[in-house]
Amino acid sequence: MYRLACRLGLSGIVYNDTKGVTVELQGEEEKIDELLVRLQSGPDKPPVAEIQSCKTVDIAVIESEDKFIIKASDSQGTALSQVTADIATCRDCLSEMAEKEDFRHGYPFINCTNCGPRYSIVKTIPYDRPNTTMSEFAMCNRCAAQYADVTDRRFHAQPVACGVCGPKIWLTDSEGKTITIQTDKTIPETAGLLRAGKVLAIKGIGGFHLAVDALNDEAVKRLRERKKRDHKPFAMMAASIETIKKHALVSEPAEKFLKNPQSPIVLLPKRKDSPIAPSVAEGVNTFGFMLCYAPLHYLLFAQNIKVLVMTSGNISDEPLICKNEQAMEKLACVADAFLMHDREIYRQVDDSIVHFIERDPVLLRRARGYVPTPILIEENCRQDIFAAGGDLKNTFCFGKQNQLICSEHIGDLEDAEVYHHYINSIEHLRKLFEVEPKVVVCDLHPGYLSTQYALSLSDLKAIQVQHHWAHIASVLAEHGLDGPVIGLAADGTGYGTDGAIWGCECLIASLDGFERFGHLAYYTLAGADMASKEAIRPVLGLLKKTYRDDFNLQKFRWLVDRIETDANKQQIISEQLEKRINAVETSSLGRIFDAVAAMLGLGSYNHFEAQLPMALEAIIGGGTEEHYDFELIRRASEPLQLDLRKMTMQLITDIQKGNPSGVISAKFHNTIAAALLQFATIARESKNLNTVALSGGVYCNHYLTNRLIKLLQENSFSVLFNRNVPANDGGISLGQAAIAAKLAARIS
Ligand code: ZN
Ligand code: ZN
Ligand code: FE
């Protein structure tokens, strides 16, 4: 603002306050108009600035005013969230890094006000250098001069540094012995190891990556083995869109998104002729690609590196590793060498993941680049709120004034280290955003660790929110709505108000309540937690539901044997279903996807969440519009029930006939889309509502979601879905917080 006002010869003042930025401008009217245009849409809008709204009013002229000044903001009255997200290296910095004459030529930590680390290096507020992990690097004269020069691009860029004064890189072997400490040798040496198929641990912005040549199948397999990650697809990094286009289909909006300052991993349809090693991403039809986002990445890729697997530096599902010592200790058995640096990462932040629904980017994992950007709400929270989230793909959320601030992706809390990380993160972010929660909100599931933790905070008022209500509320919060809407939750599992495990729900939902209008008819699942891993459990549950007393194992041996070879185990599960021992009633839709995938021979075990549903989506072929039969059954005073027995019978007949799996999969997906449309149609008639909100983990399924949106739109519904937070359980905390913000006003 200062630079722009001075250039246009305007006088005035700029300062931060609780509402944002206030600017007073005095001078020629056209110049003021020009400033507004340049700032909002023109070349002077900082690349990462997001102007939510801009209001102008006329004020009195001050005759004596002759210059433009920046007024210091007093910390009492400053805007709530002062910390911004980490930002990918900007173009200006890249060209300086390439420029031989520049004093930051080849410097792996070059950054400016428009780019560089933020959230990952902040220890406490206010966001000033002494409160970041850059505090231990005293600026040299040249850096200090730029930092203090209001006309410079590095004015008040807290992480500013150069090769003389800033962080440094070095390379060590897996035993911690230094290979080289010279910057100009470290990068080529690292690249050489990668080209030779070695596994490298590379310290980046939000944590360590494990990197390996993505074209070398042997090397990728070695990484899988050592990381104890059998099946989950790996993300990849490339230095240019042109490279990515050789391996994946990049639509126009996807290309734009890859180049965003947030620089997320974008899921893109695979190209059949791509030479990427098969073991990078088996059983899915997409590749996850991101562009280089740190100067270090660019320097590395300049050494004849094409595509690298860049996966989180951790062992199986533990938290991302971000400290040097911890990396040496935990990753020594995974990495052949370590590319280290000495800028401490204070908060570990995973790479974010985006996919496209229609032409809209939708977050599947919200972390680096997006956190801690708040989601704004209309009405202020009367009291500060802590929302504990769910247990899988956990995020938590704070509500303060008009901001809902979601944490980055934390992970699955059942892992002890992740749980520990969860507890620490809550306390850290609470301090960082100066939140004093008076209300705590959590899931209804008594077994969730997040619920137990939330309820242990006994001095806070507690609210428990049904899982799928929270899912739908997350959509309402994102779109600034209160409801009511027709909420179509399509999900794995969530604890219901009747003690059953819900999953496919048609809710008439607002932020202050919901009615269960309809759901998938209950079937029985045996074996509690194992039911979401072993597909034989939902398969037998579905068969039993469909054929009732006609079901016996002998008759379906041909089908069941391909899923579970142990006849004894089949027998035990059947008996559990029969006698309802260790069995629950459920309307889970996710498990139906598991069952269908398994019956089609696509596997029998979810090594990671939604592995089988993803495999089922990946084989869709034939472009069929057909679907199987289903029924919606209405019984007095009960919610509408979706009965999939006909579908199951027809599908099994198709398998028996040997019809192509790709067509069966398409027909199955089409059936679910048609059934959800039917729910919405009946709800519209009965409730006189026309807006449908979609949320739940099943909507990570690209084909289903696109098809359902299309069907709903063709039937004149207005359709809302998650974009800013994941449709999976990563979005639960936002929904909980939005509900609590609404309800807390009442219970206070
Ligand atoms: Zn920059
Ligand atoms: Zn310097
Ligand atoms: Fe869920």
Side-chain angles (χ1 to χ4, degrees):
M1 184 59 73
Y2 177 89
R3 271 175 255 156
L4 190 54
C6 292
R7 211 164 70 221
L8 293 168
L10 298 167
S11 64
I13 186 168
V14 59
Y15 56 93
N16 284 320
D17 59 22
T18 48
K19 294 190 185 72
V21 182
T22 301
V23 193
E24 293 179 22
L25 291 166
Q26 185 166 308
E28 285 172 44
E29 211 171 331
E30 311 86 81
K31 294 288 181 194
I32 292 179
D33 290 343
E34 188 183 340
L35 179 140
L36 288 172
V37 171
R38 284 184 154 269
L39 190 72
Q40 290 180 84
S41 49
D44 291 284
K45 178 179 166 294
V48 287
E50 202 181 302
I51 301 172
Q52 263 140 356
S53 67
C54 179
K55 283 181 213 147
T56 55
V57 287
D58 288 336
I59 50 170
V61 170
I62 305 169
E63 293 293 349
S64 59
E65 186 180 272
D66 60 351
K67 53 179 190 287
F68 192 89
I69 56 167
I70 302 170
K71 192 173 108 178
S73 42
D74 61 287
S75 59
Q76 288 302 316
T78 47
L80 284 176
S81 167
Q82 304 173 33
V83 182
T84 51
D86 303 302
I87 314 159
T89 310
C90 75
R91 263 193 234 161
D92 291 336
C93 284
L94 282 181
S95 46
E96 283 174 357
M97 188 169 73
E99 173 59 54
K100 286 239 158 56
E101 302 303 312
D102 194 280
F103 76 102
R104 292 193 187 86
H105 172 67
Y107 182 56
F109 302 96
I110 189 167
N111 68 81
C112 72
T113 323
N114 298 328
C115 75
R118 298 283 185 277
Y119 179 67
S120 58
I121 60 166
V122 180
K123 293 180 176 176
T124 178
I125 49 164
Y127 173 63
D128 282 328
R129 191 168 173 115
N131 290 334
T132 71
T133 61
M134 283 302 292
S135 61
E136 53 192 278
F137 301 97
M139 277 183 264
C140 70
N141 290 342
R142 279 202 279 194
C143 287
Q146 292 181 327
Y147 181 88
D149 180 358
V150 71
T151 65
D152 195 278
R153 200 173 88 248
R154 295 195 168 82
F155 177 62
H156 277 202
Q158 305 305 342
V160 71
C162 73
V164 173
C165 66
K168 295 189 174 39
I169 55 169
W170 68 93
L171 184 66
T172 75
D173 67 12
S174 60
E175 275 149 24
K177 266 190 252 135
T178 307
I179 300 173
T180 173
I181 52 168
Q182 280 170 272
T183 300
D184 55 341
K185 288 203 180 132
T186 297
I187 302 274
E189 287 263 354
T190 307
L193 291 172
L194 285 165
R195 285 195 307 266
K198 300 289 182 199
V199 177
L200 265 284
I202 299 177
K203 188 176 179 183
I205 300 291
F208 277 82
H209 279 119
L210 287 164
V212 79
D213 181 358
L215 301 170
N216 182 337
D217 202 42
E218 290 286 298
V220 177
K221 280 187 182 145
R222 210 172 307 137
L223 172 60
R224 278 206 182 279
E225 226 165 81
R226 294 184 192 169
K227 191 176 145 78
K228 301 194 177 82
R229 178 149 140 174
D230 294 341
H231 299 85
K232 205 170 170 183
F234 284 137
M236 291 177 282
M237 182 180 273
S240 72
I241 294 282
E242 288 62 44
T243 306
I244 297 177
K245 282 183 176 167
K246 286 185 189 147
H247 307 290
L249 304 173
V250 186
S251 68
E252 206 183 301
E255 174 165 346
K256 223 177 116 201
F257 221 74
L258 280 159
K259 293 177 180 166
N260 267 356
Q262 289 86 356
S263 193
I265 296 165
V266 179
L267 300 187
L268 304 162
K270 285 179 181 176
R271 272 182 70 138
K272 294 218 168 64
D273 56 351
S274 160
I276 294 291
S279 46
V280 168
E282 262 162 332
V284 290
N285 53 8
T286 54
F287 281 137
F289 266 108
M290 60 187 147
L291 284 173
C292 294
Y293 58 82
L296 183 63
H297 300 148
Y298 283 100
L299 293 171
L300 196 57
F301 276 78
Q303 302 285 326
N304 197 20
I305 297 279
K306 301 277 183 315
V307 185
L308 291 181
V309 161
M310 286 286 258
T311 184
S312 315
N314 57 3
I315 302 289
S316 50
D317 291 324
E318 290 179 7
L320 178 64
I321 290 168
C322 68
K323 308 275 186 240
N324 292 0
E325 323 77 63
Q326 204 189 5
M328 289 308 308
E329 181 192 321
K330 291 223 164 189
L331 299 178
C333 50
V334 184
D336 296 304
F338 291 75
L339 176 55
M340 293 287 205
H341 65 70
D342 56 356
R343 183 174 68 197
E344 191 198 337
I345 298 169
Y346 197 75
R347 291 276 325 145
Q348 57 257 68
V349 205
D350 283 280
D351 295 318
S352 295
I353 306 177
V354 163
H355 74 158
F356 278 81
I357 292 295
E358 298 276 288
R359 286 174 70 85
D360 292 310
V362 167
L363 277 161
L364 291 171
R365 181 162 81 193
R366 189 174 186 272
R368 180 183 50 74
Y370 295 91
V371 175
T373 309
I375 283 125
L376 301 181
I377 50 175
E378 286 283 314
E379 229 176 300
N380 273 6
C381 300
R382 296 222 189 143
Q383 295 162 307
D384 288 4
I385 292 162
F386 165 61
D391 268 18
L392 286 177
K393 295 185 158 64
N394 174 275
T395 64
F396 56 87
C397 180
F398 287 112
K400 182 175 174 160
Q401 297 183 17
N402 69 335
Q403 301 195 340
L404 300 181
I405 309 164
C406 287
S407 76
E408 66 275 20
H409 165 81
I410 299 290
D412 296 347
L413 300 186
E414 64 180 11
D415 181 287
E417 297 217 20
V418 175
Y419 183 73
H420 189 65
H421 175 51
Y422 171 66
I423 302 296
N424 289 338
S425 303
I426 292 167
E427 196 46 25
H428 172 65
L429 293 197
R430 193 188 64 71
K431 286 188 189 140
L432 195 60
F433 301 118
E434 298 181 301
V435 191
E436 291 297 338
K438 294 283 180 287
V439 178
V440 59
V441 50
C442 61
D443 199 271
L444 206 57
H445 201 312
Y448 269 12
L449 294 169
S450 54
T451 303
Q452 290 165 8
Y453 172 74
L455 297 180
S456 74
L457 306 169
S458 50
D459 48 339
L460 306 187
K461 269 173 288 189
I463 300 173
Q464 283 185 272
V465 170
Q466 200 280 324
H467 190 88
H468 302 101
W469 182 25
H471 268 308
I472 300 301
S474 73
V475 181
L476 293 176
E478 272 199 53
H479 292 84
L481 297 174
D482 283 353
V485 292
I486 302 164
L488 296 177
D491 203 25
T493 54
Y495 197 81
T497 52
D498 57 355
I501 299 299
W502 295 9
C504 178
E505 311 299 316
C506 175
L507 307 179
I508 307 301
S510 0
L511 290 182
D512 57 4
F514 77 93
E515 173 201 335
R516 194 185 197 199
F517 184 80
H519 62 88
L520 176 63
Y522 286 155
Y523 58 101
T524 315
L525 268 181
D529 284 351
M530 290 316 294
S532 60
K533 302 251 161 63
E534 298 178 352
I536 186 66
R537 295 171 188 275
V539 167
L540 290 178
L542 201 60
L543 291 176
K544 186 112 189 71
K545 167 88 185 173
T546 305
Y547 298 96
R548 300 200 170 159
D549 296 338
D550 279 349
F551 172 76
N552 68 68
L553 272 173
Q554 215 46 48
K555 211 159 113 190
F556 289 94
R557 189 116 278 158
W558 65 275
L559 184 63
V560 173
D561 276 355
R562 46 166 105 158
I563 300 158
E564 175 57 63
T565 46
D566 183 348
N568 201 20
K569 189 164 172 182
Q570 296 172 4
Q571 193 60 45
I572 292 170
I573 296 170
S574 296
E575 277 170 28
Q576 283 181 332
L577 291 172
E578 192 75 43
K579 297 175 185 152
R580 313 216 163 200
I581 302 164
N582 190 20
V584 288
E585 295 299 287
T586 187
S587 55
S588 167
L589 188 55
R591 296 298 84 79
I592 304 275
F593 278 74
D594 289 350
V596 173
M599 291 193 291
L600 286 175
L602 299 172
S604 53
Y605 195 88
N606 277 315
H607 294 87
F608 59 92
E609 201 190 359
Q611 181 184 2
L612 293 172
M614 280 159 83
L616 186 62
E617 185 189 357
I619 60 154
I620 291 176
T624 179
E625 290 296 311
E626 279 176 58
H627 62 75
Y628 295 113
D629 294 333
F630 60 90
E631 281 174 304
L632 285 178
I633 298 166
R634 204 192 298 253
R635 281 194 206 96
S637 78
E638 268 181 38
L640 205 58
Q641 301 207 13
L642 167 60
D643 185 334
L644 291 178
R645 282 179 298 178
K646 282 189 177 159
M647 177 198 81
T648 311
M649 289 183 201
Q650 291 167 352
L651 191 145
I652 289 172
T653 309
D654 269 358
I655 297 174
Q656 229 164 356
K657 283 191 199 152
N659 288 344
S661 299
V663 177
I664 298 176
S665 175
K667 282 165 79 179
F668 165 70
H669 280 82
N670 295 350
T671 310
I672 302 301
L676 291 169
L677 170 68
Q678 196 67 40
F679 265 138
T681 306
I682 298 174
R684 168 161 68 185
E685 282 161 19
S686 146
K687 301 288 171 180
N688 203 18
L689 295 170
N690 199 48
T691 302
V692 178
L694 312 179
S695 191
V698 171
Y699 294 114
C700 297
N701 183 309
H702 204 256
Y703 178 89
L704 175 78
T705 309
N706 274 319
R707 187 174 175 92
L708 177 58
I709 291 171
K710 201 174 124 239
L711 288 176
L712 287 165
Q713 285 170 344
E714 282 168 4
N715 285 276
S716 316
F717 283 100
S718 104
V719 189
L720 306 174
F721 51 94
N722 293 111
R723 294 175 200 212
N724 240 318
V725 296
N728 60 44
D729 287 4
I732 284 287
S733 66
L734 177 72
Q736 291 174 344
I739 288 169
K742 190 56 77 185
L743 295 185
R746 292 199 191 149
I747 61 169
S748 59

